[in-house]
Amino acid sequence: MSQGPPTGESSEPEAKVLHTKRLYRAVVEAVHRLDLILCNKTAYQEVFKPENISLRNKLRELCVKLMFLHPVDYGRKAEELLWRKVYYEVIQLIKTNKKHIHSRSTLECAYRTHLVAGIGFYQHLLLYIQSHYQLELQCCIDWTHVTDPLIGCKKPVSASGKEMDWAQMACHRCLVYLGDLSRYQNELAGVDTELLAERFYYQALSVAPQIGMPFNQLGTLAGSKYYNVEAMYCYLRCIQSEVSFEGAYGNLKRLYDKAAKMYHQLKKCETRKLSPGKKRCKDIKRLLVNFMYLQSLLQPKSSSVDSELTSLCQSVLEDFNLCLFYLPSSPNLSLASEDEEEYESGYAFLPDLLIFQMVIICLMCVHSLERAASEEGSESEGSESSGRSCRNERSIQEKLQVLMAEGLLPAVKVFLDWLRTNPDLIIVCAQSSQSLWNRLSVLLNLLPAAGELQESGLALCPEVQDLLEGCELPDLPSSLLLPEDMALRNLPPLRAAHRRFNFDTDRPLLSTLEESVVRICCIRSFGHFIARLQGSILQFNPEVGIFVSIAQSEQESLLQQAQAQFRMAQEEARRNRLMRDMAQLRLQLEVSQLEGSLQQPKAQSAMSPYLVPDTQALCHHLPVIRQLATSGRFIVIIPRTVIDGLDLLKKEHPGARDGIRYLEAEFKKGNRYIRCQKEVGKSFERHKLKRQDADAWTLYKILDSCKQLTLAQGAGEEDPSGMVTIITGLPLDNPSVLSGPMQAALQAAAHASVDIKNVLDFYKQWKEIG
């Protein structure tokens, strides 16, 4: 501060130069006096005294005059002094002495007033700069100078190019300061301004998208939300901006260090029985912590071992596939009372925005590795699971409703935008990424084509109607800006994809439905683009109107391949409903569709697709159960009462211990063909029967679980008989020798349309059918 102002140009009036020097000396003097106050040990008790408040107000006025009098030479310095000396250093002083400041005290009240006054000042300054320099920021922020009655109708000044550049960046910094002040308010009790702070930071990015600092502030605002994944996304965006912020590197390193500690702590935790809600929380925590740790190992300077990377990648992919089913299906989540706290904390389901951020983190990681080692990141196949399928027999409106509710199309669209600009990577990884192309073809066939959307009678704006004309072409003639495109502006991996956009013009206001249609157009166009590439990754048959992956044998006919694609969609739809809630299954309709696509023999299709083994079957015939589960022909349902029975027998029966180990291993890796069923609600406990005939009591409890499956279809559905079979280890050759309660249980099962068969007899019948 000892340096004097720079010498003014000879063309400037002498009076202006003298006035500038006087203002500068006054600013230096005020800053010196404020510094003396802050040097005191009891400064936190002094800063809000009237004379010190008056001194800060005086400095604020001097800085404002100085920045507008000489914006090119003094504007940036005056801004910085104003923020640090008038607001920021006072805030840091109070935060440092937080233990001395009691709730609702005079000091805390003064601090709250200080923050509110700062927000008011910077809002007015932002409006004044816009008015003074006639900046057109309507496309960047949602409130402009025309709404400020304090400005009046002042005639705009003529300004040089450098002055206009300062004014633009000054508006950007005002928005960052407003975000910081709102964030500090959010830390106080009884104040919730998190969304307001987030809004200011994102508007700062709109004004100057090349500056990464607001992303660093957003990372700080996110805190430890979702086990630091959201903060990691923000810090990486900051680092990969054109103008990064140095502090983001240290912040990101701290997150990676935390992730390593949490990862090793999770590996030490012993597995124990958890309620469904708590299990969801644990599954999602494991996914996010492993994902964080994986990102730390994938950094260019990391000394990770290839074997550890491979194992961790596989674990993250498996957990991601499992946790995709924990998306919130409706705003009204029904919970058990013991799980309410976990659900309210936000970790019992996987938000689609978080999945979007994880996909972008993967793209940024690949970009960093390519830039550091000039290697192509073929691991990006990890996003393949985002292309989840839904039932193809839905109407166009129903499909669009499902797609809008799912919330994953933005992530798929962005990932495909990136792939479109990397055709060499697609060709190189074509053969090693067959699973990705299989799932992509399923998704493409489930999305409505342009003709279907045009004939559906949907009320779409002219811009979207024009887009539909070219969405079945490899190169989309035009495109419309979507929220995800705006959010990812200036992201290095997507710069090539964003060249077709003009971010500085007004974009049409699209409804949620229209945004979904635009995403469908982009994804369908990508399908035609990839079908045109060398290597025969996908083929499009215009006669049938479907995309087909060339993953199967070339000897298979096109019709067989199409049937395989739709079978995959149907099986994934059934798995989705099974994992989300067993009561939502529509068993008969699913099986009839599966039979139609596979054209199975009548004898084989007559076998139940859902098998429910009892405790005896798991204890004595575990190898048979394993074969049935791995055949891919059946889904094995394990009721809670069967698991409880295994627990009772594990001390005296080695087969029970083997069964428990097998089930734990299958549940952990997320086997789609063997699932644990939660408790089925209230049922008649039959306590007396439990003491008299334990086998009959267990059969009744298993039957309760089966009834939930068969009755889930509701009234008016087809006959559910033959859908579920209980396979038991008990001999059923001569029912007359069984006890009375057991015979009654068998009759109850027949009345409920549930088959009961000996496990060996069932296995023999299945093998004979082939």
Side-chain angles (χ1 to χ4, degrees):
M1 292 301 299
S2 60
Q3 297 178 355
T7 306
E9 297 178 5
S10 59
S11 60
E12 286 186 331
E14 185 178 351
K16 182 179 179 181
V17 174
L18 291 174
H19 186 40
T20 302
K21 289 181 177 179
R22 281 197 298 269
L23 278 176
Y24 188 83
R25 282 196 296 269
V27 167
V28 171
E29 183 184 349
V31 168
H32 179 67
R33 291 170 61 188
L34 286 173
D35 285 341
L36 290 176
I37 296 169
L38 292 175
C39 288
N40 259 327
K41 290 184 178 180
T42 58
Y44 67 93
Q45 297 174 341
E46 307 288 329
V47 288
F48 293 124
K49 286 188 175 181
E51 60 271 22
N52 293 329
I53 294 175
S54 177
L55 181 58
R56 286 197 298 274
N57 289 342
K58 179 184 176 182
L59 176 60
R60 185 180 64 196
E61 292 174 9
L62 291 170
C63 288
V64 171
K65 288 179 181 179
L66 187 60
M67 71 175 69
F68 282 100
L69 183 65
H70 216 305
V72 176
D73 290 336
Y74 288 94
R76 181 72 185 93
K77 191 168 189 66
E79 284 181 69
E80 185 181 352
L81 287 173
L82 193 158
W83 167 247
R84 282 199 299 111
K85 299 300 178 181
V86 178
Y87 294 104
Y88 181 70
E89 289 185 355
V90 175
I91 293 168
Q92 289 301 105
L93 181 67
I94 296 300
K95 292 176 70 175
T96 305
N97 294 275
K98 190 184 298 184
K99 61 182 179 181
H100 301 300
I101 301 171
H102 305 292
S103 178
R104 299 186 180 181
S105 64
T106 305
L107 204 55
E108 190 200 51
C109 182
Y111 176 59
R112 289 175 184 265
T113 304
H114 178 74
L115 295 177
V116 172
I119 289 175
F121 167 75
Y122 276 108
Q123 284 180 333
H124 181 71
L125 180 61
L126 175 62
L127 299 174
Y128 187 83
I129 294 172
Q130 290 179 77
S131 175
H132 191 72
Y133 291 97
Q134 289 295 288
L135 296 176
E136 299 294 335
L137 300 181
Q138 286 83 353
C139 297
C140 302
I141 64 176
D142 54 10
W143 47 291
T144 55
H145 62 84
V146 294
T147 61
D148 189 359
L150 300 177
I151 300 294
C153 299
K154 184 176 179 180
K155 186 178 179 179
V157 297
S158 59
S160 66
K162 289 184 177 181
E163 289 176 335
M164 294 298 291
D165 291 342
W166 169 82
Q168 181 94 0
M169 293 308 300
C171 288
H172 163 81
R173 288 185 286 269
C174 283
L175 288 164
V176 174
Y177 297 148
L178 285 167
D180 288 345
L181 290 166
S182 300
R183 176 161 54 88
Y184 297 137
Q185 272 191 317
N186 192 62
E187 295 170 358
L188 295 172
V191 182
D192 184 7
T193 53
E194 181 179 353
L195 292 178
L196 183 62
E198 188 178 87
R199 170 174 169 264
F200 284 132
Y201 289 138
Y202 277 116
Q203 293 197 10
L205 288 165
S206 297
V207 174
Q210 73 278 11
I211 307 295
M213 185 179 181
F215 277 119
N216 179 76
Q217 313 300 77
L218 283 165
T220 305
L221 182 67
S224 59
K225 192 182 298 181
Y226 296 111
Y227 303 102
N228 299 309
V229 170
E230 192 166 321
M232 174 178 65
Y233 165 80
C234 295
Y235 292 141
L236 283 172
R237 289 294 306 272
C238 176
I239 289 169
Q240 294 202 10
S241 298
E242 289 180 30
V243 182
S244 61
F245 175 65
E246 193 67 29
Y249 292 92
N251 292 334
L252 187 60
K253 186 180 183 305
R254 281 191 288 274
L255 292 191
Y256 286 153
D257 291 342
K258 287 183 182 178
K261 291 179 182 178
M262 294 177 69
Y263 172 77
H264 292 105
Q265 285 175 357
L266 274 179
K267 293 197 74 173
K268 292 178 182 177
C269 292
E270 58 180 0
T271 58
R272 64 179 188 275
K273 287 187 177 181
L274 298 172
S275 63
K278 289 184 178 179
K279 184 179 184 301
R280 283 192 287 272
C281 295
K282 185 175 180 181
D283 290 340
I284 291 175
K285 179 179 180 180
R286 184 178 63 247
L287 166 65
L288 299 181
V289 170
N290 288 358
F291 181 78
M292 283 282 298
Y293 184 56
L294 175 62
Q295 296 305 313
S296 69
L297 296 182
L298 289 173
Q299 294 309 298
K301 296 181 181 179
S302 173
S303 57
S304 55
V305 183
D306 288 345
S307 59
E308 183 182 17
L309 271 177
T310 303
S311 173
L312 194 54
C313 283
Q314 184 64 31
S315 174
V316 168
L317 285 176
E318 291 176 358
D319 289 340
F320 187 75
N321 281 327
L322 173 63
C323 294
L324 272 178
F325 299 97
Y326 297 154
L327 285 164
S329 56
S330 69
N332 299 318
L333 298 172
S334 58
L335 328 168
S337 59
E338 63 180 349
D339 301 326
E340 287 180 0
E341 184 177 347
E342 286 83 359
Y343 270 86
E344 289 173 359
S345 70
Y347 298 129
F349 59 88
L350 201 59
D352 47 33
L353 176 60
L354 189 65
I355 295 177
F356 178 83
Q357 291 175 341
M358 292 170 74
V359 170
I360 304 308
I361 288 170
C362 291
L363 292 185
M364 288 192 286
C365 177
V366 170
H367 180 78
S368 297
L369 292 173
E370 286 177 339
R371 185 173 55 186
S374 301
E375 296 176 353
E376 292 177 322
S378 60
E379 291 85 2
S380 58
E381 184 182 345
S383 299
E384 64 186 47
S385 302
S386 295
R388 293 169 59 196
S389 55
C390 59
R391 287 170 52 183
N392 63 300
E393 71 273 9
R394 297 180 185 271
S395 68
I396 299 297
Q397 288 81 0
E398 287 176 323
K399 281 186 178 181
L400 290 174
Q401 289 296 327
V402 170
L403 292 170
M404 286 188 291
E406 182 109 63
L408 294 182
L409 273 194
V412 177
K413 185 257 182 191
V414 167
F415 177 66
L416 298 184
D417 283 348
W418 177 75
L419 276 180
R420 185 189 280 266
T421 59
N422 292 273
D424 294 338
L425 179 63
I426 298 175
I427 295 171
V428 169
C429 301
Q431 299 305 318
S432 62
S433 308
Q434 291 295 351
S435 177
L436 173 61
W437 315 127
N438 288 342
R439 290 171 182 257
L440 178 61
S441 63
V442 172
L443 175 63
L444 288 166
N445 292 332
L446 292 176
L447 295 178
E452 296 176 288
L453 290 168
Q454 289 170 327
E455 296 170 3
S456 63
L458 295 171
L460 303 174
C461 67
E463 291 86 355
V464 177
Q465 291 283 5
D466 293 341
L467 190 65
L468 283 173
E469 297 292 336
C471 82
E472 300 297 332
L473 299 174
D475 298 311
L476 206 59
S478 62
S479 190
L480 296 172
L481 269 172
L482 292 168
E484 56 266 30
D485 301 318
M486 293 295 296
L488 300 176
R489 181 181 180 182
N490 278 40
L491 185 73
L494 295 174
R495 278 178 188 159
H498 286 174
R499 284 173 188 158
R500 67 182 189 275
F501 294 131
N502 185 352
F503 288 95
D504 297 324
T505 59
D506 287 329
R507 60 189 180 99
L509 188 61
L510 303 179
S511 66
T512 307
L513 174 67
E514 289 169 333
E515 288 178 353
S516 296
V517 172
V518 173
R519 293 183 184 108
I520 290 170
C521 290
C522 295
I523 295 172
R524 292 276 303 182
S525 174
F526 177 82
H528 292 285
F529 167 79
I530 200 173
R532 190 184 62 177
L533 289 179
Q534 296 177 353
S536 300
I537 299 166
L538 288 183
Q539 284 185 354
F540 179 73
N541 186 285
E543 296 179 0
V544 187
I546 61 171
F547 290 89
V548 178
S549 170
I550 314 302
Q552 291 92 358
S553 171
E554 293 183 358
Q555 284 76 26
E556 291 183 344
S557 68
L558 183 63
L559 180 60
Q560 288 174 321
Q561 293 184 35
Q563 288 174 340
Q565 294 295 317
F566 285 116
R567 183 170 70 249
M568 183 190 294
Q570 290 166 341
E571 287 188 359
E572 287 208 9
R574 181 174 58 190
R575 182 178 60 156
N576 295 354
R577 286 187 291 276
L578 181 64
M579 289 192 66
R580 286 192 176 189
D581 190 348
M582 298 297 284
Q584 298 296 322
L585 288 171
R586 305 171 63 86
L587 304 178
Q588 179 65 41
L589 190 56
E590 292 290 321
V591 173
S592 64
Q593 291 171 350
L594 191 61
E595 291 172 354
S597 65
L598 290 174
Q599 298 180 349
Q600 295 172 332
K602 290 184 178 179
Q604 185 174 354
S605 64
M607 299 192 75
S608 302
Y610 295 91
L611 305 181
V612 183
D614 68 357
T615 306
Q616 298 296 328
L618 283 165
C619 283
H620 298 283
H621 305 288
L622 182 59
V624 175
I625 303 296
R626 293 170 73 110
Q627 283 196 50
L628 294 172
T630 56
S631 68
R633 176 61 184 83
F634 310 99
I635 293 179
V636 179
I637 309 296
I638 310 295
R640 292 291 307 181
T641 186
V642 172
I643 295 176
D644 294 339
L646 290 173
D647 278 338
L648 291 174
L649 295 174
K650 65 183 179 182
K651 292 184 179 180
E652 56 189 69
H653 200 299
R657 293 193 292 274
D658 292 340
I660 291 172
R661 282 194 292 269
Y662 167 70
L663 293 178
E664 285 179 346
E666 296 304 306
F667 294 156
K668 184 177 180 180
K669 70 182 182 182
N671 187 341
R672 70 169 72 182
Y673 296 111
I674 184 164
R675 298 295 177 197
C676 177
Q677 186 181 21
K678 62 183 181 181
E679 284 296 343
V680 297
K682 295 182 178 179
S683 63
F684 180 55
E685 291 293 342
R686 309 178 182 88
H687 293 295
K688 186 177 180 181
L689 178 60
K690 184 176 182 180
R691 293 190 299 271
Q692 293 177 347
D693 194 328
D695 290 336
W697 180 85
T698 301
L699 184 56
Y700 272 117
K701 294 288 287 183
I702 295 174
L703 187 57
D704 288 339
S705 300
C706 296
K707 285 180 179 178
Q708 183 182 5
L709 295 176
T710 56
L711 295 177
Q713 298 187 103
E717 298 283 346
E718 298 181 20
D719 181 13
S721 59
M723 294 302 100
V724 185
T725 295
I726 299 173
I727 49 177
T728 177
L730 300 174
L732 301 176
D733 297 332
N734 188 3
S736 60
V737 302
L738 299 175
S739 65
M742 180 60 77
Q743 293 184 36
L746 294 175
Q747 292 176 0
H751 181 72
S753 302
V754 175
D755 294 334
I756 301 181
K757 294 184 179 179
N758 177 268
V759 61
L760 295 178
D761 293 338
F762 184 91
Y763 177 77
K764 183 179 179 181
Q765 179 188 356
W766 173 57
K767 281 296 184 181
E768 288 175 351
I769 293 174

